[in-house]
């Protein structure tokens, strides 16, 4: 989740990055929170410097239109910005983490101040020797708390701030240190050659899927190592079953059923940077649409439960809920769904992912929420962020 607290005034009067007030200390925010995970995990550092959820399927699932009011879990900001490309009336981003919202704030400043190639350089998606200069161009659009946060991140800015999260460092260890021990340089290079699906399946079975690959993958992506190096041990409280084997099966799907040449998430894991494929919010064709609508965005460091309980909170047409439900009990999940329905317009849509914990509308909410299972299943088959176990789309009745 996310980072720097913003004033709750309506979007549009000023650039959102100028609405930020003094940040709430992470510990104090957690103590006041009604969110289950906030009392357990540390949200003081950047966990995700990129949004590891496929905005292509999110945008299709939510079908955001002009006039819509959207609520989005901020994470690093990419998918929140992707929603802006569709021209909604308002987007409100929430996160528990001050550091995550700092990532969103810097992205907003970059879309305002830089051109598209410069944005890619600052993020680390393209090589650059001038990232500090690019940051200096964006800095005036940041609030004082955000400036202090990023001024202290000199090495991160020099490397590209899209690579500095705990999860990105974890994946970089795998792609840069572990994978070369498992696959030759030629095999890794050949993985990104044009092939049909049948050819990709043969390549995987004959050249990629050796015993070293399977053993190392299961060890590196075990619950213990992922909790220690990549996520947080508390994120696994409700996880059951063999995590690594499920991820291995999804990885085979990504390397065979999907085309690695069109998969920016896979390319970043393998190369430590994006190749020719880019996520939705970073593509040139979406840059201007996002930039045009930045004044419709605001963000707040508040737990979702607390925000929805506020009498001043508007009703929403669309909800990007990331994978927040797998960090809470089934009872808390159902209670939060009820809160969401109470703040939703009729016909509102919810989209969220399950990575390791199954969460779908309980039968007790059948009169309030309708699963859009056919749509969700079709989109899940296209999901380039392949490590998720399920993608859920539901509609408020």
């Amino acid at each position: 989740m996310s980072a720097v607290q913003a004033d709750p005034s309506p979007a549009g009067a000023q650039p959102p990055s100028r609405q930020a007030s003094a940040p709430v200390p992470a510990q104090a925010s957690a103590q006041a929170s009604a969110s289950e995970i906030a009392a357990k995990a540390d949200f003081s550092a950047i966990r995700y410097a990129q949004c590891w959820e496929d905005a292509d399927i999110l945008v299709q699932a939510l079908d955001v239109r002009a006039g819509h009011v959207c609520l989005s879990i901020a994470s690093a900001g990419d998918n929140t910005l992707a929603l802006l490309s569709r021209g909604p009336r308002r987007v409100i981003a929430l996160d528990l983490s001050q550091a995550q919202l700092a990532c969103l704030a810097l992205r907003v400043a970059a879309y305002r101040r830089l051109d598209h190639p410069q944005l890619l350089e600052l993020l680390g998606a393209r090589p650059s020797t001038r990232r500090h200069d690019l940051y200096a161009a964006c800095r005036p659009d940041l609030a004082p708390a955000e400036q202090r946060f990023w001024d202290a991140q000199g090495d991160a800015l020099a490397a590209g701030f899209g690579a500095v999260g705990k999860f990105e460092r974890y994946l970089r260890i795998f792609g840069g240190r572990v994978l070369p021990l498992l696959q030759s340089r030629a095999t890794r290079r050949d993985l990104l050659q044009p092939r049909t699906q049948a050819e990709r399946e043969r390549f995987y079975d004959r050249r990629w899927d050796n015993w070293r690959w399977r053993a190392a993958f299961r060890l590196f992506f075990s619950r213990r190592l992922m909790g220690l190096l990549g996520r947080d041990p508390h994120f696994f409280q409700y996880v059951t079953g063999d995590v690594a084997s499920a991820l291995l099966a999804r990885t085979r799907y990504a390397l065979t059923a999907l085309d690695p040449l069109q998969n920016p998430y896979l390319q970043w894991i393998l190369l430590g940077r994006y190749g020719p494929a880019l996520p939705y919010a970073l593509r040139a064709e979406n840059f201007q649409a996002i930039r045009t609508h930045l004044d419709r965005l605001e963000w707040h460091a508040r737990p979702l439960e607390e925000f929805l309980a506020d009498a001043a909170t508007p009703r929403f047409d669309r909800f990007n809920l990331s994978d927040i439900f797998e960090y809470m009990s089934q009872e808390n999940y159902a209670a939060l769904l009820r809160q969401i329905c109470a703040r939703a317009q009729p016909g509102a849509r919810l989209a969220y992912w399950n990575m390791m914990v199954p969460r779908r509308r309980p039968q007790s909410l059948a009169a309030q929420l309708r699963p859009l299972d056919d749509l969700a299943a079709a989109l899940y088959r296209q999901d380039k962020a392949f490590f998720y176990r399920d993608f859920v789309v539901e509609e408020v009745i």
Side-chain angles (χ1 to χ4, degrees), residues 155-270:
D155 292 343
L157 291 170
F161 80 93
V164 301
K166 181 179 180 181
F167 193 63
E168 286 79 22
R169 293 195 298 271
Y170 172 63
L171 293 178
R172 180 162 288 189
I173 292 171
F174 181 75
R177 300 182 187 179
V178 177
L179 191 59
L181 302 177
L182 313 177
Q183 309 289 0
S184 70
R185 184 188 300 269
T187 299
R188 284 179 280 135
R189 182 193 63 233
D190 289 349
L191 179 70
L192 296 178
Q193 296 300 311
R195 290 185 176 87
T196 65
Q197 180 174 342
E199 290 169 340
R200 292 194 295 269
E201 290 173 351
R202 284 195 295 272
F203 176 86
Y204 184 90
D205 292 337
R206 295 177 184 178
R207 294 186 58 186
W208 193 269
D209 189 26
N210 58 55
W211 68 269
R212 294 187 306 276
W213 160 255
R214 293 190 296 272
F217 188 102
R218 287 193 172 97
L219 175 63
F220 194 83
F221 292 102
S222 64
R223 182 185 315 201
R224 184 172 183 276
L225 272 186
M226 199 183 308
L228 178 67
L229 300 177
R231 305 185 87 207
D232 185 288
H234 293 98
F235 288 1
F236 294 84
Q237 179 175 350
Y238 300 108
V239 174
T240 58
D242 186 342
V243 171
S245 292
L247 288 173
L248 183 60
R250 285 297 297 168
T251 302
R252 186 188 192 283
Y253 182 86
L255 295 177
T256 57
L258 303 179
D259 185 356
L261 279 176
Q262 305 300 320
N263 194 329
Y265 310 100
L266 179 64
Q267 290 172 21
W268 201 94
I269 294 170
L270 296 177

Side-chain angles (χ1 to χ4, degrees), residues 40-58:
K40 302 174 183 177
D42 177 17
F43 291 98
S44 62
I46 299 174
R47 289 192 177 278
Y48 307 103
Q50 304 172 37
C51 190
W52 291 89
E53 294 156 357
D54 189 353
D56 284 290
I57 71 168
L58 175 67

Side-chain angles (χ1 to χ4, degrees), residues 50-128:
Q50 304 172 37
C51 190
W52 291 89
E53 294 156 357
D54 189 353
D56 284 290
I57 71 168
L58 175 67
V59 167
Q60 293 181 67
L62 293 183
D63 189 24
V64 174
R65 302 183 184 184
H68 280 168
V69 178
C70 306
L71 187 145
S72 182
I73 300 302
S75 185
D78 307 271
N79 287 6
T80 296
L81 294 169
L83 299 182
L84 283 182
S85 73
R86 305 299 292 268
R89 179 163 61 92
R90 190 178 180 191
V91 176
I92 300 176
L94 299 180
D95 212 287
L96 293 172
S97 167
Q98 300 286 346
Q100 293 302 143
L101 287 177
C103 292
L104 172 59
L106 185 50
R107 278 172 168 79
V108 169
Y111 275 88
R112 288 189 187 281
R113 295 281 183 159
L114 306 179
D115 61 26
H116 181 251
Q118 290 171 333
L119 168 70
L120 297 184
E121 287 184 54
L122 181 62
L123 277 166
R126 295 291 182 264
S128 180

